[in-house]
Amino acid sequence: MTTINRQITVIDEFGYPVSRAHIYFSTNKGTTTDNKGKANLTGDAWSEVTVSYVGKKSVEHTFQNIPSTIV
């Protein structure tokens, strides 16, 4: 298992940070973004990561391929 660290930023379609977006791994552990839309993640490179927010479409990525900014 390869563990990696990433910092990601979640923004809306207008470029504003999304605070309290939910970010969770397929293992059901996760976090939420801060008031600047940022979150630090540590996990297995091959885990699936889902980013969700009320009223928006969820986005899924393999952790090693997750972009640093998610719209």
Side-chain angles (χ1 to χ4, degrees):
M1 178 185 319
T2 303
T3 302
I4 57 175
N5 298 309
R6 300 277 165 126
Q7 180 182 50
I8 66 166
T9 303
V10 179
I11 59 173
D12 66 14
E13 61 271 19
F14 304 107
Y16 294 103
V18 176
S19 64
R20 304 296 172 225
H22 298 277
I23 304 165
Y24 54 94
F25 290 88
S26 52
T27 58
N28 291 330
K29 72 174 190 170
T31 189
T32 58
T33 56
D34 65 13
N35 61 354
K36 294 180 182 178
K38 297 186 182 296
N40 293 310
L41 305 172
T42 301
D44 177 45
W46 300 105
S47 292
E48 290 293 319
V49 177
T50 303
V51 179
S52 65
Y53 189 75
V54 175
K56 301 291 183 183
K57 183 179 176 183
S58 295
V59 177
E60 295 180 0
H61 292 280
T62 304
F63 189 42
Q64 72 174 4
N65 294 324
I66 198 167
S68 60
T69 302
I70 298 174
V71 180

